[in-house]
Structures are given as structure tokens and as C-alpha cells.
Amino acid sequence: ADSETTRMADVLTSLQRQIMRYLRDNVHAAETAEGVNSMWLGRAHEPQSIAESEKALDALVAAGLVETHSLPGGKTLYRARPW
């Protein structure tokens, strides 16, 4: 793997851990990708940053740890999947 691919994998793994830690401590939290990026992760509100957070969230959805809910207007809400 090239260094860019490795860096992205490291970023996603780190973001996934941070998101799951946040959800462990805030079990009823639910937020859009933009809100997760800025409020849960404290990251800059930049398109690249939001895209990375969204990829991390989507990986957690695929793993069955996070679920989504569609909001009016097309936004997606992310929250911990109930145990």
C-alpha cells in the first residue's frame, strides 16, 4: 500500500475509535456527519474533514455498530446501534 492509502486507513481507524468512545459515553447521541465531525470529534468544519468522518461512520454502519436514520431534506442521522 502506498503512504496515502496507509495514512487514510490510520485516520479512519482513529476516527472510528473516537466515534465509538463518544457513543459509549453518550449512548443516546445522534448527529449528522457534519455534527459528528465538529461536535463529537472537534474537527475543523472543512469538506475533506467531513468526508473522512463520513467514511469512518459508514464503516461503523457496515460493521453493525452504528445505525442511520434519514431526516427530511436528505440528511442522515448517525447513532449507536442498540445492543
Side-chain angles (χ1 to χ4, degrees):
D2 63 28
S3 61
E4 181 63 22
T5 302
T6 301
R7 188 199 73 79
M8 181 57 76
D10 291 345
V11 166
L12 290 179
T13 302
S14 173
L15 292 176
Q16 290 165 346
R17 281 196 306 270
Q18 290 175 60
I19 291 166
M20 290 311 298
R21 237 186 329 263
Y22 186 92
L23 288 171
R24 182 192 65 216
D25 296 340
N26 302 275
V27 294
H28 299 293
E31 192 54 76
T32 63
E34 294 86 353
V36 169
N37 185 67
S38 62
M39 295 174 15
W40 295 7
L41 300 174
R43 301 179 82 211
H45 212 72
E46 301 166 356
Q48 178 183 351
S49 178
I50 294 167
E52 288 174 349
S53 295
E54 199 163 40
K55 285 181 184 176
L57 286 160
D58 290 343
L60 293 170
V61 169
L65 298 170
V66 171
E67 65 182 16
T68 62
H69 177 73
S70 296
L71 298 174
K75 294 273 186 182
T76 300
L77 200 63
Y78 295 88
R79 62 185 174 207
R81 188 163 177 220
W83 297 100

